[in-house]
Amino acid sequence: MKIKVKGIENQGARGKMDLNERSMIVLKSIIENYIQNSEPIGSRTLSKSIGFKLSPATIRNIMSDLAESGFLIQTHTSAGRVPTDKAYRFYVDSMSKKPAVPEQIKQKLSPVSNVQGTPVEHILSKAVHLLAELTKFACVVSTPKQSVSRLQRIELIKISEDRILVILVTKAGVVRDKIIFVKENHSQEFLSSVTSFLNEEFKNHSMQEIREGIHQSIVSDRHRYHDLLAHAVRLGKKAFELNQPGEMFIEGQMNLLLDSHFHEQSSVKSLIDAFEQKTAIMKILDESMKNKGVHIHIGIENDYEHLHRCSLITASYRNKQNVLGSIGVVGPTSMDYKSIISTVEYTAKMLSKTISEQSYD
Amino acid sequence: MKIKVKGIENQGARGKMDLNERSMIVLKSIIENYIQNSEPIGSRTLSKSIGFKLSPATIRNIMSDLAESGFLIQTHTSAGRVPTDKAYRFYVDSMSKKPAVPEQIKQKLSPVSNVQGTPVEHILSKAVHLLAELTKFACVVSTPKQSVSRLQRIELIKISEDRILVILVTKAGVVRDKIIFVKENHSQEFLSSVTSFLNEEFKNHSMQEIREGIHQSIVSDRHRYHDLLAHAVRLGKKAFELNQPGEMFIEGQMNLLLDSHFHEQSSVKSLIDAFEQKTAIMKILDESMKNKGVHIHIGIENDYEHLHRCSLITASYRNKQNVLGSIGVVGPTSMDYKSIISTVEYTAKMLSKTISEQSYD
DNA sequence: TATTAGCACTATTCATTAATGAGTGCTAAT
DNA sequence: ATTAGCACTCATTAATGAATAGTGCTAATA
């Protein structure tokens, strides 16, 4: 969005400008100043810092209007005005195209692609760690959802008489393991048969499909296997049971404490709660997987009350086939949206690239 | 350590007591009070709260002596006196036998044993989470050291032409995976041969041994395998290469912020650094694996400067065969050592029990 | 000789006050 | 429509003083 303004930088000529657009510029200046300095700017200072000539008094009028429309609030009479969540929303919505990611940031994120060959979890944790370091806020990333990823391979390993170690490898490159307890003492050979049966049968199917279809599929194949069948059904059901809820890595929580906006005791407590009980943030990350691009949740827009003073910037990452999870930043509503958004976007892109390259299809 | 004191609770008869022992009691009272209330206690108040009759003036003399011997410091004249790290050290060293773990705490930790069948990492993360919840401090746990654990099984799975997924299962029940890149395009069948060869050869050996002995062992077996050999050596070397440095889970960092002792800006910053760069804490956890029992590091005793205002209580956990890692609490030097120590000890015990039960030997 | 009472002294904390200053709102002039 | 000027508000800061909690020292005491 380009705003045309006549007479800028020209003291003498006062160009005609649409009031609306002018107040937008003022609003943006206020927001940007607040983002930078974390304290309200006065009409006088603003008048000086703004690009074109406008007296403090005029700016006061504009500010007054903006306050009336809900873009600004005063904490008390005669205090500077501070942007509301509505203002931030306007700001990000009307944001000119995201700026290019600075070379410096790209460089600092480059280690993400240097951890190829390591488990996906390591890549994620590397990425979220770097992102936290760069943004100086708290960052989160969700691990790939098991349900959507497709099976690459299953292994059943006999551990003891009554325990079998199940290893699931998904196309996305995620390895999950669990132990299942069985009553019968199967031989390793028998398990190998079941293993190859399950692999043949279910390779390339999503976990969800497998779980839903495990009965039908096996039943229809009845003629090929005999005593194997009953056991395979049982083992298979157990093996594919969803055991792990979505996980989430958090990094840089402490960063938030250094941020001036969270110095008040009450909001610190809120944040602790929000991170303690991870569900709310997890939900936002999940939501973010449904659509492409960067998602922005500003303060009060968040359903969860403890996050009302935070903004979340999230973006999903994927391999060639599926959206796997998402990564995001949790910071104060007055964060520097411009740079954070592009940094998150870039990180997600890097992540997708790295993971795709070592995905198994 | 039992201290015999005559005349306690008896105003009239002033029993003879060794001055030293009496001052110990005073010191302990001061420490315990400070642990509880986080603020210095005055001679007058102490005189009232102490078990036996002793005037404020006498207590002042004793306190003065204690200060001279380095057990107490005054932040400034006419402020109450506060225990030094030396005092805490005395306190924990002279502590009477650890109190039994309260039933309530046992109950709250019981979920640790309810996660059997899940990966070891989950058990650890559950334990450290609960510990943080109970102690209200930050808690850490190190994942099992790869080097000491012994091999249960290795699997090589062909992923693509040039990539092989290696899955290592240790006796301790830890599953590790990594991808290795190869130049030759091996068939899955060939990999199976290598797999069984490696399994036969190395099962029950520690990773360290395997890594060190992989040459000799294979060479001495030369007669049994032919072309397999060269590849097996290469693959084996790659597969067993140490790829992951010890990991560590952290929980409840935020708890520290609510603690009154860390409210000063400076010490918060220190803590952030300490957790950011995990090596120092990791080192203490590693150290703790060398000896049995609970380890206590008080403030200045820590090598790492950022931890000078913290105490760490750690204990190792193990399976039937090996010490695997350790778990610990990071809190202010004025923590309630009595209860924290026994809680950490109990948690480590629970952890050992749970992990032993699902270990593979 | 060890303990205690009493008193002088000191430093923190808290509430009050006054000065300062940044900022707005309104009105009249341009 | 814009601006200058002025009155007013409220937060922040520093200074003041009273109250408080604490020690150190000395002389009296058991």
Side-chain angles (χ1 to χ4, degrees):
Chain A
M1 171 178 192
K2 196 79 176 288
I3 298 173
K4 69 165 203 293
V5 179
K6 290 181 193 157
I8 283 188
E9 297 290 322
N10 184 339
Q11 293 192 332
R14 284 194 199 99
K16 293 252 166 64
M17 334 193 295
D18 181 3
L19 179 75
N20 232 354
E21 295 204 341
R22 191 182 60 175
S23 47
M24 278 179 181
I25 296 180
V26 171
L27 180 54
K28 279 195 192 177
S29 296
I30 294 173
I31 293 172
E32 277 166 6
N33 183 285
Y34 189 66
I35 285 175
Q36 273 220 325
N37 308 321
S38 303
E39 44 188 57
I41 189 171
S43 53
R44 212 175 117 78
T45 324
L46 184 58
S47 155
K48 278 182 228 150
S49 82
I50 211 165
F52 45 93
K53 183 85 184 94
L54 221 47
S55 82
T58 311
I59 290 188
R60 278 204 288 281
N61 290 332
I62 297 172
M63 284 168 101
S64 176
D65 292 348
L66 288 170
E68 211 170 335
S69 338
F71 288 108
L72 300 175
I73 41 159
Q74 296 182 276
T75 51
H76 38 259
T77 339
S78 105
R81 287 190 180 87
V82 163
T84 59
D85 291 351
K86 188 176 171 186
Y88 292 123
R89 172 50 64 194
F90 155 79
Y91 182 69
V92 302
D93 284 348
S94 77
M95 225 165 70
S96 48
K97 280 289 144 262
K98 298 135 199 163
V101 181
E103 208 47 52
Q104 192 201 4
I105 297 220
K106 286 190 181 177
Q107 204 155 45
K108 288 203 174 158
L109 280 169
S110 66
V112 170
S113 48
N114 294 341
V115 282
Q116 282 205 354
T118 67
V120 171
E121 283 85 352
H122 281 227
I123 300 175
L124 295 180
S125 103
K126 187 85 191 174
V128 75
H129 183 88
L130 289 173
L131 188 58
E133 212 162 77
L134 282 175
T135 60
K136 300 283 179 209
F137 294 130
C139 295
V140 293
V141 65
S142 60
T143 55
K145 287 277 158 299
Q146 218 187 16
S147 53
V148 300
S149 40
R150 300 194 329 290
L151 185 70
Q152 161 73 20
R153 176 94 165 221
I154 181 172
E155 290 283 334
L156 303 179
I157 300 175
K158 184 177 174 181
I159 290 308
S160 72
E161 295 208 342
D162 61 346
R163 285 178 299 174
I164 297 172
L165 174 64
V166 180
I167 295 177
L168 296 174
V169 183
T170 70
K171 291 270 173 192
V174 181
V175 177
R176 285 283 148 85
D177 61 288
K178 65 186 279 195
I179 293 168
I180 58 178
F181 294 84
V182 289
K183 297 217 182 74
E184 308 86 349
N185 183 359
H186 305 290
S187 71
Q188 177 66 52
E189 273 166 9
F190 174 77
L191 287 183
S192 299
S193 313
V194 176
T195 299
S196 31
F197 169 71
L198 291 174
N199 274 314
E200 248 175 71
E201 200 64 34
F202 294 119
K203 183 167 179 180
N204 293 328
H205 289 75
S206 82
M207 295 297 164
Q208 186 120 38
E209 284 166 17
I210 296 175
R211 247 176 263 126
E212 283 165 1
I214 197 146
H215 264 125
Q216 297 93 305
S217 168
I218 288 181
V219 168
S220 73
D221 261 353
R222 176 161 290 159
H223 56 284
R224 289 168 55 200
Y225 297 87
H226 313 300
D227 64 334
L228 195 63
L229 192 61
H231 292 310
V233 170
R234 268 225 287 290
L235 287 179
K237 276 193 78 170
K238 279 193 179 177
F240 289 112
E241 249 164 29
L242 183 68
N243 56 343
Q244 288 135 332
E247 265 186 297
M248 176 170 107
F249 299 153
I250 305 175
E251 277 275 340
Q253 295 177 63
M254 299 292 247
N255 285 340
L256 295 181
L257 305 166
L258 296 182
D259 190 278
S260 46
H261 290 272
F262 290 113
H263 271 170
E264 312 139 49
Q265 180 74 4
S266 64
S267 50
V268 170
K269 189 87 179 71
S270 257
L271 277 180
I272 294 176
D273 288 345
F275 282 110
E276 185 73 20
Q277 176 203 316
K278 304 167 181 176
T279 51
I281 296 176
M282 197 67 203
K283 219 168 117 191
I284 294 172
L285 288 177
D286 285 352
E287 203 62 35
S288 159
M289 290 171 59
K290 292 189 187 152
N291 297 300
K292 271 194 81 167
V294 179
H295 294 238
I296 300 162
H297 304 80
I298 298 171
I300 202 93
E301 295 171 5
N302 292 303
D303 289 334
Y304 190 50
E305 197 192 327
H306 285 154
L307 293 176
H308 275 6
R309 284 154 176 264
C310 299
S311 286
L312 285 89
I313 313 294
T314 63
S316 58
Y317 65 88
R318 49 176 302 144
N319 63 358
K320 282 169 210 137
Q321 300 287 342
N322 291 103
V323 174
L324 300 175
S326 45
I327 188 166
V329 174
V330 183
T333 51
S334 65
M335 65 171 67
D336 180 352
Y337 291 94
K338 270 209 178 84
S339 78
I340 301 280
I341 288 173
S342 57
T343 305
V344 169
E345 191 173 34
Y346 182 77
T347 307
K349 217 166 70 185
M350 289 289 296
L351 210 46
S352 297
K353 186 159 159 272
T354 307
I355 291 177
S356 294
E357 276 170 14
Q358 73 169 39
S359 267
Y360 306 154
D361 52 5
Chain B
M1 172 177 193
K2 196 78 175 292
I3 298 173
K4 68 165 202 297
V5 179
K6 290 181 194 156
I8 283 188
E9 298 290 321
N10 184 339
Q11 293 193 331
R14 287 201 193 89
K16 291 251 167 65
M17 333 192 295
D18 183 1
L19 179 75
N20 234 352
E21 294 204 341
R22 191 183 59 176
S23 48
M24 278 179 182
I25 296 180
V26 171
L27 181 54
K28 279 195 192 177
S29 298
I30 295 173
I31 294 172
E32 277 167 4
N33 182 285
Y34 189 67
I35 286 174
Q36 272 220 326
N37 308 322
S38 302
E39 45 188 59
I41 188 171
S43 53
R44 215 175 115 78
T45 324
L46 184 58
S47 155
K48 279 182 228 149
S49 80
I50 211 164
F52 47 92
K53 183 83 185 94
L54 221 47
S55 81
T58 312
I59 290 187
R60 278 203 287 281
N61 290 332
I62 297 172
M63 284 168 103
S64 175
D65 293 346
L66 288 170
E68 210 170 337
S69 338
F71 289 108
L72 300 175
I73 41 160
Q74 295 182 277
T75 50
H76 24 257
T77 339
S78 107
R81 286 189 180 85
V82 162
T84 59
D85 291 350
K86 187 177 172 186
Y88 293 123
R89 171 50 61 194
F90 155 80
Y91 182 69
V92 301
D93 284 348
S94 77
M95 224 165 70
S96 48
K97 281 290 145 261
K98 297 137 201 163
V101 181
E103 209 48 51
Q104 191 201 3
I105 298 225
K106 286 189 180 176
Q107 205 155 44
K108 289 204 173 157
L109 280 169
S110 66
V112 170
S113 48
N114 294 341
V115 282
Q116 282 204 356
T118 67
V120 170
E121 283 85 352
H122 282 225
I123 300 175
L124 294 179
S125 101
K126 188 85 193 172
V128 75
H129 184 89
L130 289 173
L131 188 58
E133 211 162 79
L134 281 175
T135 59
K136 301 282 179 209
F137 294 131
C139 295
V140 292
V141 65
S142 60
T143 54
K145 285 278 159 300
Q146 219 187 17
S147 54
V148 300
S149 38
R150 296 189 339 286
L151 185 70
Q152 161 72 22
R153 175 96 166 220
I154 181 173
E155 289 284 333
L156 303 178
I157 300 174
K158 184 177 174 179
I159 292 308
S160 71
E161 296 208 341
D162 61 346
R163 285 179 299 173
I164 297 172
L165 174 65
V166 179
I167 296 178
L168 296 174
V169 184
T170 71
K171 290 270 173 192
V174 181
V175 177
R176 285 284 149 86
D177 61 287
K178 64 185 280 194
I179 293 167
I180 58 179
F181 294 84
V182 290
K183 296 214 183 76
E184 308 86 348
N185 183 0
H186 304 290
S187 71
Q188 177 67 51
E189 272 166 10
F190 174 77
L191 287 182
S192 300
S193 313
V194 176
T195 300
S196 31
F197 169 71
L198 292 173
N199 274 313
E200 247 174 72
E201 199 66 32
F202 294 118
K203 183 167 178 180
N204 292 327
H205 289 74
S206 82
M207 295 297 166
Q208 186 120 40
E209 283 165 17
I210 296 175
R211 247 175 263 126
E212 283 165 0
I214 198 148
H215 264 125
Q216 296 92 310
S217 168
I218 288 182
V219 168
S220 74
D221 261 352
R222 174 160 290 159
H223 57 285
R224 286 168 56 200
Y225 299 87
H226 314 299
D227 64 334
L228 195 63
L229 192 59
H231 293 310
V233 170
R234 267 225 286 291
L235 287 179
K237 277 193 79 169
K238 278 193 180 175
F240 289 113
E241 248 165 29
L242 183 67
N243 57 340
Q244 288 135 332
E247 265 184 298
M248 177 170 106
F249 299 154
I250 305 175
E251 277 276 340
Q253 296 179 61
M254 300 292 248
N255 285 341
L256 295 182
L257 305 167
L258 296 182
D259 189 278
S260 45
H261 289 273
F262 290 112
H263 270 171
E264 311 140 50
Q265 181 76 1
S266 65
S267 49
V268 170
K269 186 88 181 71
S270 259
L271 278 180
I272 294 177
D273 288 345
F275 281 110
E276 185 73 19
Q277 175 201 319
K278 303 168 182 176
T279 52
I281 296 175
M282 197 66 203
K283 217 168 118 189
I284 294 172
L285 288 178
D286 284 353
E287 204 61 34
S288 159
M289 289 171 60
K290 294 191 185 151
N291 296 301
K292 271 194 81 165
V294 179
H295 294 239
I296 300 162
H297 304 80
I298 298 171
I300 201 94
E301 295 171 5
N302 292 303
D303 289 334
Y304 191 50
E305 197 192 326
H306 286 153
L307 293 176
H308 275 6
R309 283 153 177 265
C310 299
S311 286
L312 284 90
I313 313 294
T314 63
S316 58
Y317 64 89
R318 48 177 302 144
N319 64 357
K320 281 169 210 137
Q321 301 287 344
N322 290 103
V323 175
L324 301 175
S326 45
I327 187 166
V329 174
V330 183
T333 51
S334 66
M335 65 171 69
D336 181 352
Y337 292 94
K338 271 211 176 84
S339 77
I340 301 280
I341 288 172
S342 57
T343 305
V344 169
E345 191 173 33
Y346 182 77
T347 307
K349 217 167 68 187
M350 289 289 295
L351 210 46
S352 297
K353 186 159 158 271
T354 307
I355 291 178
S356 294
E357 276 170 15
Q358 73 170 42
S359 268
Y360 306 152
D361 52 5

Short mmCIF file of all heavy atoms in Angstrom, two decimals, chain A residues 92-115:
data_model
loop_
_atom_site.label_atom_id
_atom_site.label_comp_id
_atom_site.label_asym_id
_atom_site.label_seq_id
_atom_site.Cartn_x
_atom_site.Cartn_y
_atom_site.Cartn_z
N VAL A 92 -0.15 -4.26 10.92
CA VAL A 92 0.33 -5.42 10.16
C VAL A 92 -0.48 -5.62 8.89
O VAL A 92 0.05 -6.05 7.87
CB VAL A 92 0.34 -6.73 11.00
CG1 VAL A 92 1.21 -6.58 12.22
CG2 VAL A 92 -1.04 -7.14 11.40
N ASP A 93 -1.78 -5.32 8.95
CA ASP A 93 -2.59 -5.51 7.76
C ASP A 93 -2.19 -4.57 6.65
O ASP A 93 -2.18 -4.93 5.48
CB ASP A 93 -4.07 -5.31 8.11
CG ASP A 93 -4.64 -6.50 8.85
OD1 ASP A 93 -3.95 -7.55 8.88
OD2 ASP A 93 -5.74 -6.39 9.40
N SER A 94 -1.89 -3.36 7.04
CA SER A 94 -1.58 -2.36 6.01
C SER A 94 -0.09 -2.34 5.69
O SER A 94 0.39 -1.44 5.02
CB SER A 94 -1.98 -0.98 6.50
OG SER A 94 -1.02 -0.51 7.42
N MET A 95 0.60 -3.35 6.19
CA MET A 95 2.03 -3.32 6.04
C MET A 95 2.44 -3.47 4.60
O MET A 95 1.94 -4.34 3.89
CB MET A 95 2.68 -4.42 6.88
CG MET A 95 3.88 -3.96 7.65
SD MET A 95 4.29 -5.17 8.90
CE MET A 95 4.89 -6.50 7.88
N SER A 96 3.34 -2.64 4.20
CA SER A 96 3.86 -2.78 2.85
C SER A 96 4.57 -4.13 2.79
O SER A 96 4.90 -4.71 3.81
CB SER A 96 4.84 -1.65 2.56
OG SER A 96 5.75 -1.51 3.62
N LYS A 97 4.81 -4.58 1.61
CA LYS A 97 5.42 -5.91 1.44
C LYS A 97 6.55 -6.12 2.43
O LYS A 97 7.34 -5.24 2.71
CB LYS A 97 5.94 -6.06 0.01
CG LYS A 97 4.82 -6.39 -0.97
CD LYS A 97 4.30 -7.82 -0.78
CE LYS A 97 2.80 -7.94 -1.03
NZ LYS A 97 2.00 -7.92 0.20
N LYS A 98 6.57 -7.32 2.94
CA LYS A 98 7.60 -7.63 3.93
C LYS A 98 8.99 -7.31 3.39
O LYS A 98 9.28 -7.61 2.24
CB LYS A 98 7.55 -9.12 4.29
CG LYS A 98 6.24 -9.54 4.92
CD LYS A 98 5.75 -10.84 4.30
CE LYS A 98 4.27 -11.02 4.57
NZ LYS A 98 3.67 -12.01 3.68
N PRO A 99 9.80 -6.77 4.23
CA PRO A 99 11.15 -6.45 3.80
C PRO A 99 11.95 -7.73 3.60
O PRO A 99 11.63 -8.76 4.17
CB PRO A 99 11.71 -5.66 4.98
CG PRO A 99 10.94 -6.18 6.15
CD PRO A 99 9.58 -6.51 5.64
N ALA A 100 12.97 -7.64 2.80
CA ALA A 100 13.84 -8.80 2.61
C ALA A 100 14.51 -9.14 3.92
O ALA A 100 14.75 -8.27 4.75
CB ALA A 100 14.88 -8.47 1.55
N VAL A 101 14.78 -10.41 4.10
CA VAL A 101 15.48 -10.83 5.32
C VAL A 101 16.94 -10.41 5.22
O VAL A 101 17.60 -10.73 4.23
CB VAL A 101 15.39 -12.35 5.48
CG1 VAL A 101 16.08 -12.79 6.76
CG2 VAL A 101 13.93 -12.79 5.49
N PRO A 102 17.42 -9.69 6.19
CA PRO A 102 18.81 -9.23 6.15
C PRO A 102 19.78 -10.40 6.04
O PRO A 102 19.55 -11.47 6.63
CB PRO A 102 19.00 -8.53 7.49
CG PRO A 102 17.63 -8.25 7.98
CD PRO A 102 16.74 -9.28 7.40
N GLU A 103 20.83 -10.16 5.32
CA GLU A 103 21.83 -11.19 5.11
C GLU A 103 22.35 -11.75 6.44
O GLU A 103 22.57 -12.95 6.60
CB GLU A 103 23.00 -10.61 4.30
CG GLU A 103 23.74 -11.62 3.46
CD GLU A 103 22.79 -12.51 2.67
OE1 GLU A 103 21.89 -11.98 1.96
OE2 GLU A 103 22.92 -13.73 2.80
N GLN A 104 22.48 -10.86 7.38
CA GLN A 104 23.01 -11.23 8.69
C GLN A 104 22.13 -12.30 9.36
O GLN A 104 22.63 -13.27 9.93
CB GLN A 104 23.04 -9.97 9.56
CG GLN A 104 23.83 -10.12 10.83
CD GLN A 104 23.39 -9.06 11.84
OE1 GLN A 104 22.46 -8.30 11.57
NE2 GLN A 104 24.05 -9.02 12.98
N ILE A 105 20.84 -12.11 9.24
CA ILE A 105 19.91 -13.07 9.83
C ILE A 105 19.98 -14.40 9.10
O ILE A 105 20.00 -15.47 9.72
CB ILE A 105 18.48 -12.50 9.81
CG1 ILE A 105 18.45 -11.24 10.69
CG2 ILE A 105 17.47 -13.56 10.23
CD1 ILE A 105 17.24 -11.09 11.53
N LYS A 106 20.02 -14.31 7.79
CA LYS A 106 20.12 -15.55 7.01
C LYS A 106 21.33 -16.35 7.45
O LYS A 106 21.27 -17.56 7.61
CB LYS A 106 20.25 -15.21 5.52
CG LYS A 106 18.96 -14.75 4.89
CD LYS A 106 19.10 -14.66 3.39
CE LYS A 106 17.81 -14.17 2.75
NZ LYS A 106 17.92 -13.99 1.29
N GLN A 107 22.40 -15.63 7.66
CA GLN A 107 23.63 -16.31 8.04
C GLN A 107 23.49 -16.98 9.40
O GLN A 107 23.88 -18.13 9.58
CB GLN A 107 24.75 -15.29 8.10
CG GLN A 107 26.11 -15.92 7.91
CD GLN A 107 27.09 -14.89 7.37
OE1 GLN A 107 27.11 -13.76 7.87
NE2 GLN A 107 27.87 -15.25 6.38
N LYS A 108 22.87 -16.27 10.30
CA LYS A 108 22.74 -16.84 11.64
C LYS A 108 21.82 -18.05 11.66
O LYS A 108 21.88 -18.87 12.56
CB LYS A 108 22.23 -15.77 12.61
CG LYS A 108 23.30 -14.73 12.91
CD LYS A 108 23.04 -14.03 14.22
CE LYS A 108 24.21 -13.12 14.56
NZ LYS A 108 23.84 -12.06 15.51
N LEU A 109 20.94 -18.11 10.67
CA LEU A 109 20.03 -19.25 10.63
C LEU A 109 20.60 -20.41 9.81
O LEU A 109 20.02 -21.49 9.77
CB LEU A 109 18.67 -18.84 10.05
CG LEU A 109 17.74 -18.14 11.04
CD1 LEU A 109 16.55 -17.53 10.31
CD2 LEU A 109 17.25 -19.13 12.10
N SER A 110 21.71 -20.18 9.18
CA SER A 110 22.22 -21.20 8.27
C SER A 110 22.54 -22.53 8.96
O SER A 110 22.43 -23.57 8.33
CB SER A 110 23.44 -20.67 7.53
OG SER A 110 24.50 -20.46 8.43
N PRO A 111 22.92 -22.54 10.26
CA PRO A 111 23.19 -23.84 10.88
C PRO A 111 22.02 -24.81 10.80
O PRO A 111 22.22 -26.01 10.92
CB PRO A 111 23.47 -23.47 12.34
CG PRO A 111 23.98 -22.09 12.29
CD PRO A 111 23.24 -21.43 11.17
N VAL A 112 20.84 -24.29 10.56
CA VAL A 112 19.68 -25.19 10.46
C VAL A 112 19.88 -26.20 9.35
O VAL A 112 19.52 -27.37 9.49
CB VAL A 112 18.38 -24.39 10.22
CG1 VAL A 112 17.23 -25.33 9.87
CG2 VAL A 112 18.03 -23.57 11.44
N SER A 113 20.48 -25.76 8.27
CA SER A 113 20.64 -26.71 7.17
C SER A 113 21.92 -27.53 7.31
O SER A 113 22.19 -28.40 6.52
CB SER A 113 20.63 -25.98 5.82
OG SER A 113 21.49 -24.87 5.88
N ASN A 114 22.66 -27.26 8.35
CA ASN A 114 23.88 -28.03 8.57
C ASN A 114 23.70 -29.23 9.49
O ASN A 114 24.66 -29.87 9.86
CB ASN A 114 24.97 -27.14 9.16
CG ASN A 114 25.41 -26.08 8.19
OD1 ASN A 114 25.17 -26.20 6.98
ND2 ASN A 114 26.03 -25.03 8.71
N VAL A 115 22.48 -29.48 9.89
CA VAL A 115 22.28 -30.60 10.80
C VAL A 115 21.60 -31.75 10.10
O VAL A 115 20.93 -32.58 10.70
CB VAL A 115 21.46 -30.18 12.05
CG1 VAL A 115 22.34 -29.44 13.02
CG2 VAL A 115 20.25 -29.37 11.68
#
